[in-house]
Amino acid sequence: MRENLVQTGKTEKDGRKFIEYDWYARGIPPNVVLGENVYLDTSYGFEPFHSEREIGFRLGEASGAYNMASFIVGADGMVEVGSYTVLGGTFIVCNDSVTIGSHCLVAWGSVITDTWAGFENASIEKRREILRFAATNAQRRLLPVDTPRPVVLEDNVWVGFDAVILPGVTLGRGSIVGCKTIVTEDVPPYAIVVGNPARFIRYLQPDDTPEAIEEAFAEYRKQ
Amino acid sequence: MSSEQTPQLFYELKPGAILPGDWFPGKIPSNIEVGENTVLDSSICFKHYFSVLPVGLRAGSNVTFWRTSLAAEENAFIEIGDYTYIANASLVCSERISIGSRVLIAGGVTIADSDFHPLMPAARLADTIALSPVGNRRHRPSVSTKPVVIEDDVWIGYNATILKGVRVGTGAIVAPGALVINDVAPETEVAGNPARVVQGVR
């Protein structure tokens, strides 16, 4: 088992948590809830995390955020991640809700965002106003162009590197998004989509039955 | 960690500055000109900045650089207007990249004005030797470069790529993931790989 440095690190009085030997010194905000046996490479990913919700981020049991996985979360954002999920160098941009299930694999350079698509819906005047506001606040926050639309990744989804999952999208259970795919519409369960723009390839056999999951865990417990 | 101080989210960008609490042990180059209220998150933005021109970067006022790589070769010049916001993007510049005012560049974007390596096999082979640990970068064969121009009020989406010689016209939109190899007319939206003009609203 990978050593869990979050739980061996210290927690300050204000609830900010620190990872042992972290190269980045700001730590993890108090409204981030970490499950049992999670793994985080660094607190750097929480540098752009500004959620003011009571719980702004929940990382489930034995999930991990690796490399530069970063959470660009606004005041009203809530990110929920299930268990046994791998976030490898992913960018999550959230101003309302991003929900990622259990047993998901999300690769490097991918962006999952509930905000910021549909620039074309914003007038140039609106776009200028957003940039003027960013320059006047210390956190350099960008206000959303449109109302954010929640994004959902159901269980056992695989997202390839550099893919972009845009606002309002639900990726169905067991689906696969190929690398560099731009997803603008829902992906049905067990479907494979690839390309820019995304196109449907085929359906996979839904063989991740409760028995198969039980067997996978049984195999692990033997070790 | 370069110091015991907690890093700030943003620092004023000043020529020659050392940023207190910066997690990266770097320094801001002196050959830059910057307007007021222009900020960056860390000196790592300049890790690949090697311009030796009297001014290698000219940035206006109220600009935000966040996790931006300003990679500039020896004779490169990067120019940026006012209120432009560059988030987690890479500018890779051999000659000249000009970015206007009120431009938004989202995460994962790459803008490059060079092919980086020669086209023809023999020259490419020579390039691998010149770039190797035993080689000499001054002996590199010539590489094709062409300035990139991003005009005012352009917004560029996540993971888009803009390649050499491209001019993106005023107010245009580059959709997430687009690979742009041709000029983009003002006030249009392009998407896809290769990028094409799209109508319709997403």
Side-chain angles (χ1 to χ4, degrees), chain B residues 167-170 172 183-190:
Chain B
R167 172 180 289 266
V168 182
T170 308
D183 288 358
V184 178
E187 316 278 335
T188 53
E189 185 185 1
V190 295

Side-chain angles (χ1 to χ4, degrees), chain B residues 77-81 84 91-93 95-101 103 105 110-114 145-156 161-174 180-186 190:
Chain B
F77 176 56
I78 299 174
E79 182 181 33
I80 295 166
T84 285
L91 308 186
V92 193
C93 183
E95 187 183 344
R96 188 182 182 109
I97 294 177
S98 304
I99 297 174
S101 291
V103 172
I105 302 178
T110 301
I111 299 174
D113 69 349
S114 165
T145 65
K146 248 186 195 172
V148 174
V149 180
I150 313 289
E151 295 181 353
D152 294 343
D153 294 301
V154 168
W155 278 34
I156 303 176
T161 305
I162 312 237
L163 293 182
K164 74 175 201 299
V166 166
R167 172 180 289 266
V168 182
T170 308
I173 287 168
V174 176
V180 186
I181 52 172
N182 296 311
D183 288 358
V184 178
V190 295

Side-chain angles (χ1 to χ4, degrees), chain A residues 26 70 109 127-128 140 196, chain B residues 7 37 64 67 85 153 159 177:
Chain A
R26 286 178 70 90
S70 292
R127 279 146 63 181
R128 289 177 175 175
R140 294 276 166 155
N196 176 8
Chain B
N37 195 34
T64 305
R67 299 195 190 178
Y85 197 117
D153 294 301
N159 290 4

Side-chain angles (χ1 to χ4, degrees), chain A residues 22-26 44-48 50 68 70 72 91 93 109-111 113 115-121 124 126-128 130-132 134-136 138-142 145 149 162-164 166 180 182 184 196-197, chain B residues 1 5-10 23 37-39 41 44 62-64 66-67 83-85 87-88 102-104 106-107 153-159 161 170-174 176-179 187 189 191-193 200-202:
Chain A
D22 193 357
W23 59 270
Y24 189 71
R26 286 178 70 90
Y44 188 55
F46 290 99
E47 179 247 349
H50 303 298
M68 293 293 188
S70 292
I72 303 148
F91 289 84
V93 181
S110 57
V111 178
T113 177
T115 335
W116 289 118
F119 300 155
E120 65 275 16
N121 296 336
I124 289 219
K126 173 82 178 163
R127 279 146 63 181
R128 289 177 175 175
I130 287 167
L131 292 173
R132 270 199 301 269
T136 56
Q139 295 173 346
R140 294 276 166 155
R141 264 153 69 170
L142 291 163
V145 177
R149 287 184 291 151
D162 284 358
V164 180
L166 289 169
K180 295 196 165 242
I182 309 299
T184 58
N196 176 8
Chain B
M1 217 185 311
Q5 246 173 307
T6 305
Q8 289 170 219
L9 287 180
F10 288 103
W23 63 268
N37 195 34
T38 284
V39 298
D41 61 323
I44 199 166
N62 298 294
V63 174
T64 305
W66 182 72
R67 299 195 190 178
Y83 287 98
T84 285
Y85 197 117
N88 193 38
R102 302 171 304 275
V103 172
L104 179 90
D153 294 301
V154 168
W155 278 34
I156 303 176
Y158 301 109
N159 290 4
T161 305
T170 308
I173 287 168
V174 176
L179 180 76
E187 316 278 335
E189 185 185 1
N193 176 5
V201 172
R202 181 165 282 125

Side-chain angles (χ1 to χ4, degrees), chain A residues 50 58 110 156 178 201:
Chain A
H50 303 298
R58 201 194 298 272
S110 57
N156 207 357
I201 297 293

